[in-house]
Amino acid sequence: ESSGFAQAAASALIPNGDFESGEGGKPEHWALGAHMAWVDEGGNHFLRLKSPEPGANVTLFRTVPVKPEVKALELRYKV
């Protein structure tokens, strides 16, 4: 049996969601703004968002297309 959830779990919902591919200081499929950096520490790539001053926000967002038949998602992330 195939469900939207099983299909989403079988492939990446967010392309390059682990930030492991890219070049020229930019991760593939991500647009970085001011105060953002693509960082490699010990072979682990991630995004570093640094507030320019106390109380200032730095925001990164990305549209993720989800098919209407998908009823549940499981997301994991580190902060």
Side-chain angles (χ1 to χ4, degrees):
E1 177 178 332
S2 178
S3 69
F5 181 74
Q7 291 171 358
S11 63
L13 177 63
I14 304 172
N16 197 30
D18 60 4
F19 307 109
E20 293 301 328
S21 64
E23 60 182 44
K26 296 180 182 179
E28 185 177 12
H29 302 293
W30 292 89
L32 301 185
H35 312 292
M36 299 179 191
W38 182 44
V39 181
D40 176 358
E41 288 184 358
N44 181 44
H45 292 84
F46 59 93
L47 297 183
R48 179 171 286 146
L49 285 63
K50 186 174 180 181
S51 178
E53 60 188 56
N57 293 323
V58 178
T59 305
L60 175 72
F61 70 92
R62 179 148 173 213
T63 301
V64 177
V66 178
K67 295 179 181 179
E69 62 269 14
V70 175
K71 301 299 180 199
L73 298 172
E74 179 179 330
L75 304 173
R76 290 181 282 157
Y77 58 93
K78 294 180 183 180
V79 178

